[in-house]
Amino acid sequence: MLPSQEASKIYHDNYMRNSRAIGVLWAIFTICFAIINVVVFIQPYWIGDSVNTPQAGYFGLFHYCVGEGSSNRDLKCQGTFADFSSIPSGAFKAASFFVLLSMVLILSCIACMVLFFFCNTATVYKTCAWMQLLCAVCLVLGCMIFPDGWDAEVIRDMCGEETGKYTLGNCSVRWAYILAIIGILDALILSFLAFVLGNRQSDFLQDEVKADNKD
């Protein structure tokens, strides 16, 4: 074997080994992000009460619980995504839709990973990258639209009269909202990594074709 051919083979082996390792990590973190997305959509802990609120309670995208009775500590829960009329604000409905769309996109991205066994690897990476980028956009829209519904009457009753659009009054942001913001960064990083992997795969295939033509 010629020195140039031997060097090319070593490069090829090292590239494939590193590419597979990074690809596996990308897939694992994509699955972790999908779990985060599902949790963010389901859990009703986007905003909640504090020590200064007139009522106890917490709100998610579509499900919420507020205090009732003399102690205000007996929580009455309502709201379901299946019944849009039970969601207290139009902004909450829109935010729920975009976060749901984000969840569908990332789960579809995971399903697309099966195509690695049947299709061009670069094409699959780039397809997943676009899906993850759209997923990040949907999460951004959900997180930006959600505060527009803070002026709903049921939220004002819990958080105080100072509460309004993008003003939370005496209430506080809870962990699910923070997790959604972290999810945006996660989706952008995963999308960027998938684009890099896809482009590198395309470049490597082109180099292989050129090398074969020279032979």
Side-chain angles (χ1 to χ4, degrees):
M1 184 179 290
L2 296 175
S4 60
Q5 291 176 326
E6 187 176 355
S8 178
K9 184 177 184 304
I10 293 171
Y11 172 76
H12 175 274
D13 292 342
N14 288 335
Y15 174 82
M16 293 304 294
R17 191 182 303 112
N18 294 335
S19 180
R20 285 195 192 100
I22 296 172
V24 168
L25 287 175
W26 169 82
I28 291 171
F29 284 117
T30 297
I31 293 170
C32 292
F33 170 64
I35 295 171
I36 289 173
N37 209 325
V38 172
V39 169
V40 163
F41 178 72
I42 294 174
Q43 291 296 319
Y45 300 105
W46 281 56
I47 59 173
D49 57 11
S50 68
V51 293
N52 298 319
T53 51
Q55 287 182 322
Y58 46 84
F59 283 78
L61 290 169
F62 52 86
H63 185 68
Y64 63 97
C65 299
V66 291
E68 62 176 7
S70 57
S71 66
N72 265 335
R73 292 294 161 185
D74 299 325
L75 297 180
K76 179 183 179 182
C77 298
Q78 51 190 315
T80 171
F81 189 77
D83 181 12
F84 251 39
S85 63
S86 65
I87 301 176
S89 165
F92 283 16
K93 295 174 183 178
S96 299
F97 170 78
F98 282 115
V99 176
L100 175 64
L101 184 57
S102 171
M103 185 176 71
V104 170
L105 282 168
I106 196 62
L107 292 176
S108 300
C109 177
I110 293 173
C112 282
M113 291 179 188
V114 177
L115 297 177
F116 279 118
F117 299 103
F118 308 104
C119 302
N120 180 276
T121 302
T123 303
V124 178
Y125 272 129
K126 290 176 183 178
T127 301
C128 289
W130 281 112
M131 294 175 76
Q132 289 172 334
L133 184 60
L134 288 173
C135 181
V137 171
C138 288
L139 273 180
V140 167
L141 290 172
C143 289
M144 290 179 64
I145 293 172
F146 182 74
D148 191 63
W150 289 352
D151 61 341
E153 183 179 353
V154 66
I155 296 179
R156 288 172 63 87
D157 289 343
M158 185 183 80
C159 299
E161 291 299 321
E162 301 84 5
T163 308
K165 293 184 177 182
Y166 298 92
T167 304
L168 203 47
N170 294 321
C171 288
S172 59
V173 171
R174 293 288 180 90
W175 62 266
Y177 200 171
I178 296 171
L179 196 61
I181 296 171
I182 294 172
I184 295 169
L185 299 176
D186 193 9
L188 289 173
I189 292 170
L190 289 170
S191 176
F192 173 76
L193 183 57
F195 275 123
V196 170
L197 288 169
N199 289 329
R200 285 189 64 186
Q201 196 75 23
S202 295
D203 294 341
F204 183 74
L205 289 174
Q206 289 175 2
D207 292 340
E208 277 195 328
V209 169
K210 289 178 183 178
D212 291 340
N213 290 336
K214 285 181 181 179
D215 294 340

